[in-house]
Coordinates of all heavy atoms in Angstrom, one line a residue:
Chain L
Q6 N 4.0 13.6 -0.9 CA 3.9 15.1 -0.8 C 5.0 15.5 -1.7 O 6.0 15.0 -2.0 CB 4.1 15.5 0.7 CG 3.1 15.4 1.7 CD 3.4 16.0 2.9 OE1 3.6 15.4 3.9 NE2 3.4 17.3 2.9
F21 N 1.8 23.6 -1.8 CA 2.3 22.3 -1.6 C 1.1 21.3 -2.0 O 0.0 21.7 -2.0 CB 2.4 22.1 -0.1 CG 3.2 23.3 0.6 CD1 2.8 23.9 1.7 CD2 4.5 23.6 0.1 CE1 3.5 24.9 2.2 CE2 5.3 24.5 0.7 CZ 4.7 25.3 1.7
W34 N -3.8 18.8 7.1 CA -2.5 19.5 6.8 C -2.0 20.0 8.2 O -2.8 20.6 8.9 CB -2.7 20.8 6.0 CG -2.9 20.4 4.5 CD1 -3.9 20.3 3.7 CD2 -1.7 20.1 3.7 NE1 -3.5 20.1 2.4 CE2 -2.3 20.0 2.3 CE3 -0.2 20.1 3.8 CZ2 -1.3 19.6 1.2 CZ3 0.6 19.8 2.7 CH2 0.0 19.6 1.4
Y35 N -0.8 19.8 8.5 CA -0.2 20.3 9.7 C 1.0 21.1 9.5 O 1.7 20.9 8.5 CB 0.4 19.0 10.6 CG -0.6 18.1 11.2 CD1 -1.3 17.1 10.5 CD2 -1.1 18.3 12.6 CE1 -2.1 16.3 11.2 CE2 -2.1 17.5 13.1 CZ -2.6 16.4 12.4 OH -3.4 15.6 13.0
Q36 N 1.3 22.0 10.5 CA 2.5 22.8 10.4 C 3.4 22.4 11.6 O 2.8 22.3 12.6 CB 2.2 24.3 10.5 CG 3.4 25.1 10.5 CD 3.0 26.6 11.0 OE1 2.4 27.0 12.0 NE2 3.2 27.6 10.1
Q37 N 4.6 22.0 11.3 CA 5.5 21.7 12.3 C 6.7 22.6 12.4 O 7.6 22.6 11.5 CB 6.1 20.2 12.2 CG 6.9 19.7 13.2 CD 7.2 18.3 13.2 OE1 7.3 17.6 12.1 NE2 7.7 17.6 14.3
I38 N 6.8 23.5 13.2 CA 7.8 24.4 13.4 C 8.9 23.7 14.1 O 8.7 22.9 15.0 CB 7.5 25.6 14.1 CG1 6.4 26.5 13.3 CG2 8.5 26.6 14.7 CD1 5.8 27.7 14.0
L39 N 10.2 24.1 13.9 CA 11.3 23.4 14.4 C 11.4 23.4 15.9 O 11.1 24.5 16.4 CB 12.6 24.1 13.9 CG 14.0 23.4 14.3 CD1 14.1 22.1 13.7 CD2 15.1 24.3 14.0
G40 N 11.4 22.2 16.5 CA 11.4 22.1 18.0 C 10.1 22.0 18.6 O 9.8 22.0 19.7
Q41 N 9.0 22.0 17.7 CA 7.7 21.9 18.2 C 6.9 20.7 17.7 O 7.3 20.1 16.7 CB 6.8 23.1 17.9 CG 7.4 24.3 18.4 CD 6.7 25.7 18.1 OE1 5.5 25.5 17.9 NE2 7.3 26.7 18.4
G42 N 5.7 20.3 18.2 CA 5.0 19.2 17.7 C 4.2 19.8 16.5 O 4.0 21.1 16.4
P43 N 3.6 18.8 15.7 CA 2.8 19.3 14.5 C 1.5 20.0 15.1 O 0.9 19.7 16.2 CB 2.3 17.9 13.9 CG 3.5 17.0 14.3 CD 3.8 17.4 15.7
K44 N 1.1 20.9 14.4 CA -0.1 21.8 14.7 C -1.2 21.7 13.5 O -0.7 22.0 12.4 CB 0.1 23.2 15.1 CG -1.1 24.1 15.4 CD -0.8 25.5 15.6 CE -0.9 26.3 14.4 NZ -0.7 27.8 14.4
L45 N -2.4 21.2 13.8 CA -3.3 21.0 12.7 C -3.7 22.4 12.2 O -4.0 23.3 12.8 CB -4.5 20.4 13.3 CG -5.7 20.1 12.2 CD1 -5.2 19.1 11.1 CD2 -6.9 19.7 12.8
L46 N -3.7 22.5 10.8 CA -4.0 23.6 10.1 C -5.5 23.5 9.5 O -6.3 24.3 9.8 CB -3.2 24.1 9.0 CG -1.7 24.5 9.3 CD1 -0.9 24.6 8.1 CD2 -1.7 25.8 10.1
F65 N -3.3 31.8 4.2 CA -3.3 30.4 3.9 C -4.6 30.0 3.3 O -5.5 30.4 3.8 CB -2.9 29.6 5.1 CG -1.6 29.6 5.8 CD1 -1.1 30.7 6.1 CD2 -0.9 28.4 5.8 CE1 0.3 30.8 6.7 CE2 0.5 28.4 6.3 CZ 1.0 29.6 6.7
L77 N -2.1 23.1 -0.6 CA -2.0 24.1 0.5 C -1.3 25.3 0.0 O -0.1 25.0 -0.6 CB -1.4 23.5 1.8 CG -1.2 24.6 2.9 CD1 -2.5 25.0 3.6 CD2 -0.3 24.0 4.0
E85 N 8.0 33.8 9.5 CA 7.5 32.8 10.6 C 6.8 31.6 10.0 O 6.4 30.7 10.7 CB 6.6 33.5 11.5 CG 5.3 34.1 11.0 CD 5.5 35.7 10.8 OE1 6.6 36.2 10.4 OE2 4.5 36.4 11.0
D86 N 6.5 31.6 8.6 CA 6.0 30.5 8.0 C 6.9 29.3 7.7 O 6.6 28.3 7.3 CB 5.3 30.9 6.7 CG 4.2 31.8 7.0 OD1 3.6 31.8 7.9 OD2 3.9 32.6 5.9
S87 N 8.3 29.7 8.1 CA 9.3 28.6 7.9 C 9.0 27.6 8.8 O 8.8 27.6 9.9 CB 10.7 29.2 8.1 OG 11.1 30.2 7.2
A88 N 8.7 26.3 8.2 CA 8.3 25.1 8.9 C 8.3 23.9 8.0 O 8.6 24.0 6.8 CB 6.9 25.4 9.4
V89 N 8.0 22.8 8.5 CA 7.7 21.7 7.7 C 6.3 21.5 7.7 O 5.6 21.6 8.7 CB 8.3 20.3 8.4 CG1 7.8 19.0 7.5 CG2 9.9 20.5 8.4
Y90 N 5.7 21.3 6.5 CA 4.2 21.1 6.3 C 4.0 19.7 5.9 O 4.5 19.3 5.0 CB 3.8 22.1 5.1 CG 3.9 23.5 5.7 CD1 5.0 24.2 5.5 CD2 2.8 24.1 6.3 CE1 5.2 25.6 6.0 CE2 2.8 25.4 6.8 CZ 4.0 26.1 6.6 OH 4.1 27.5 7.1
L91 N 3.3 19.1 6.8 CA 2.9 17.6 6.9 C 1.6 17.4 6.4 O 0.6 18.1 6.9 CB 3.1 17.0 8.3 CG 4.6 17.1 8.9 CD1 4.4 16.7 10.3 CD2 5.4 16.0 8.2
C92 N 1.3 16.5 5.6 CA 0.0 16.1 5.1 C -0.2 14.6 5.8 O 0.7 13.9 5.9 CB -0.1 15.9 3.6 SG -1.7 15.5 3.0
F108 N 1.2 9.8 8.1 CA 1.8 11.0 7.7 C 2.7 10.9 6.5 O 3.3 9.8 6.4 CB 2.6 11.5 8.9 CG 1.9 12.2 10.0 CD1 1.3 11.4 10.9 CD2 1.7 13.6 10.0 CE1 0.5 11.9 12.0 CE2 0.8 14.2 11.0 CZ 0.3 13.4 12.0
G109 N 2.7 12.0 5.6 CA 3.8 12.0 4.6 C 5.0 12.4 5.0 O 5.1 12.9 6.3
P110 N 6.0 12.6 4.2 CA 7.3 13.0 4.7 C 7.4 14.4 4.9 O 8.4 14.9 5.4 CB 8.3 12.6 3.4 CG 7.3 12.6 2.3 CD 6.0 12.1 2.8
G111 N 6.5 15.2 4.6 CA 6.6 16.6 4.6 C 7.2 17.4 3.7 O 8.1 16.9 2.7
T112 N 7.0 18.8 3.7 CA 7.7 19.8 2.7 C 8.4 20.7 3.6 O 7.7 21.3 4.4 CB 6.7 20.5 1.7 OG1 6.1 19.6 0.8 CG2 7.4 21.6 1.0
R113 N 9.6 20.9 3.5 CA 10.3 21.8 4.4 C 10.4 23.2 3.6 O 11.0 23.3 2.7 CB 11.8 21.4 4.7 CG 12.6 22.3 5.6 CD 13.9 21.7 5.8 NE 13.8 20.5 6.7 CZ 13.7 20.4 8.0 NH1 13.5 21.6 8.7 NH2 13.6 19.3 8.6
L114 N 9.8 24.1 4.3 CA 9.7 25.5 3.7 C 10.7 26.4 4.4 O 10.6 26.5 5.5 CB 8.2 26.1 3.7 CG 8.1 27.4 3.3 CD1 8.5 27.7 1.8 CD2 6.8 28.0 3.6
T115 N 11.5 27.1 3.7 CA 12.3 28.1 4.2 C 11.9 29.5 3.6 O 12.0 29.6 2.4 CB 13.8 27.9 4.0 OG1 14.2 26.6 4.6 CG2 14.7 29.0 4.6
Chain E
Q6 N 5.2 18.0 27.5 CA 6.1 16.8 27.4 C 7.4 17.1 27.9 O 8.0 18.3 27.8 CB 6.2 16.5 25.8 CG 7.0 15.2 25.5 CD 6.9 14.8 24.1 OE1 6.1 15.3 23.3 NE2 7.8 13.9 23.7
Y36 N 4.0 9.0 19.0 CA 4.5 8.9 17.6 C 6.0 8.9 17.5 O 6.7 9.6 18.4 CB 3.9 10.1 16.6 CG 2.6 10.0 16.2 CD1 1.6 10.4 17.2 CD2 2.2 9.5 15.1 CE1 0.2 10.2 16.8 CE2 0.9 9.4 14.7 CZ -0.2 9.8 15.6 OH -1.4 9.7 15.3
Q37 N 6.6 8.3 16.4 CA 8.0 8.3 16.3 C 8.3 9.0 15.1 O 7.8 8.7 14.1 CB 8.5 6.9 16.5 CG 10.0 6.6 16.2 CD 10.3 5.2 16.0 OE1 9.8 4.5 15.2 NE2 11.1 4.6 16.9
Q38 N 9.4 9.9 15.1 CA 9.7 10.7 13.9 C 11.1 10.6 13.6 O 12.0 11.1 14.4 CB 9.2 12.0 13.9 CG 9.4 12.8 12.6 CD 8.8 14.4 12.7 OE1 8.7 14.9 13.8 NE2 8.3 14.7 11.6
F39 N 11.5 10.0 12.5 CA 13.0 10.1 12.0 C 13.2 11.2 11.3 O 12.4 11.8 10.6 CB 13.3 8.8 11.3 CG 13.3 7.6 12.3 CD1 12.1 6.8 12.2 CD2 14.3 7.3 13.1 CE1 12.2 5.5 12.9 CE2 14.3 6.2 13.9 CZ 13.2 5.3 13.9
P40 N 14.6 11.8 11.2 CA 14.9 13.0 10.4 C 14.4 12.8 8.9 O 14.6 11.8 8.3 CB 16.4 13.1 10.5 CG 16.7 12.5 11.8 CD 15.7 11.3 11.9
G41 N 13.7 13.8 8.6 CA 13.3 13.8 7.1 C 12.0 13.0 6.7 O 11.6 12.8 5.7
K42 N 11.3 12.4 7.8 CA 10.2 11.7 7.7 C 9.0 12.3 8.6 O 9.3 13.0 9.4 CB 10.5 10.2 8.2 CG 11.6 9.5 7.6 CD 11.4 9.1 6.3 CE 12.5 8.2 5.7 NZ 12.2 7.8 4.2
G43 N 7.8 11.7 8.2 CA 6.7 12.3 8.9 C 6.6 11.3 10.2 O 7.1 10.3 10.2
P44 N 5.8 11.8 11.2 CA 5.6 11.0 12.4 C 4.9 9.7 12.0 O 4.1 9.5 11.2 CB 4.8 11.9 13.3 CG 4.9 13.3 12.8 CD 5.1 13.0 11.2
A45 N 5.2 8.6 12.7 CA 4.5 7.4 12.5 C 4.0 6.9 13.9 O 4.7 7.1 14.9 CB 5.5 6.3 12.0
A86 N 15.5 9.0 17.6 CA 14.5 9.7 16.8 C 13.8 10.7 17.9 O 14.2 10.7 18.9 CB 13.4 8.6 16.4
T87 N 12.9 11.4 17.3 CA 12.1 12.3 18.1 C 10.8 11.7 18.4 O 10.1 11.2 17.5 CB 11.9 13.7 17.4 OG1 13.2 14.3 17.1 CG2 11.0 14.6 18.3
Y88 N 10.3 11.7 19.7 CA 9.2 11.1 20.1 C 8.1 12.2 20.5 O 8.4 13.0 21.3 CB 9.3 10.1 21.2 CG 10.1 9.0 20.8 CD1 11.6 9.0 20.6 CD2 9.6 7.7 20.5 CE1 12.3 7.9 20.2 CE2 10.2 6.7 20.0 CZ 11.6 6.8 19.8 OH 12.4 5.6 19.4
F89 N 6.8 12.1 20.0 CA 5.9 12.9 20.3 C 4.8 12.2 21.1 O 4.2 11.2 20.5 CB 5.2 13.6 19.2 CG 6.1 14.7 18.5 CD1 6.9 14.1 17.3 CD2 6.3 15.8 18.8 CE1 7.8 14.9 16.7 CE2 7.1 16.7 18.1 CZ 7.9 16.2 17.1
C90 N 4.3 12.6 22.1 CA 3.0 12.3 22.8 C 1.9 13.0 22.0 O 2.2 14.2 21.6 CB 3.0 12.3 24.2 SG 3.1 14.0 24.9
F105 N -0.6 17.6 20.0 CA 0.8 17.0 20.2 C 1.6 17.8 21.3 O 1.4 18.9 21.5 CB 1.5 17.2 18.9 CG 1.1 16.3 17.8 CD1 0.2 16.4 16.9 CD2 1.9 14.9 17.7 CE1 -0.3 15.6 15.9 CE2 1.5 14.1 16.7 CZ 0.5 14.4 15.8
G106 N 2.4 17.0 21.9 CA 3.4 17.5 22.8 C 4.5 18.1 22.0 O 4.5 18.1 20.7
T107 N 5.6 18.7 22.8 CA 6.6 19.5 22.0 C 7.7 18.6 21.5 O 8.6 19.0 20.8 CB 7.1 20.6 23.0 OG1 7.5 19.9 24.2 CG2 6.2 21.7 23.0
G108 N 7.7 17.3 21.9 CA 8.7 16.3 21.3 C 9.9 16.3 22.3 O 10.3 17.1 23.0
T109 N 10.4 14.9 22.2 CA 11.6 14.5 22.9 C 12.5 13.9 22.0 O 12.2 12.9 21.3 CB 11.3 13.5 24.0 OG1 10.5 14.2 25.0 CG2 12.5 13.1 24.6

Side-chain angles (χ1 to χ4, degrees):
Chain L
Q6 290 188 248
F21 313 125
W34 282 103
Y35 288 87
Q36 180 191 57
Q37 186 175 19
I38 293 173
L39 187 64
Q41 298 182 20
K44 182 184 84 171
L45 181 70
L46 292 176
F65 286 65
L77 175 70
E85 58 261 37
D86 298 332
S87 294
V89 174
Y90 290 85
L91 295 164
C92 179
F108 286 82
T112 296
R113 182 176 295 278
L114 174 67
T115 302
Chain E
Q6 183 171 348
Y36 287 82
Q37 180 187 56
Q38 185 175 29
F39 293 105
K42 305 287 187 184
T87 300
Y88 293 81
F89 293 94
C90 62
F105 283 86
T107 50
T109 296

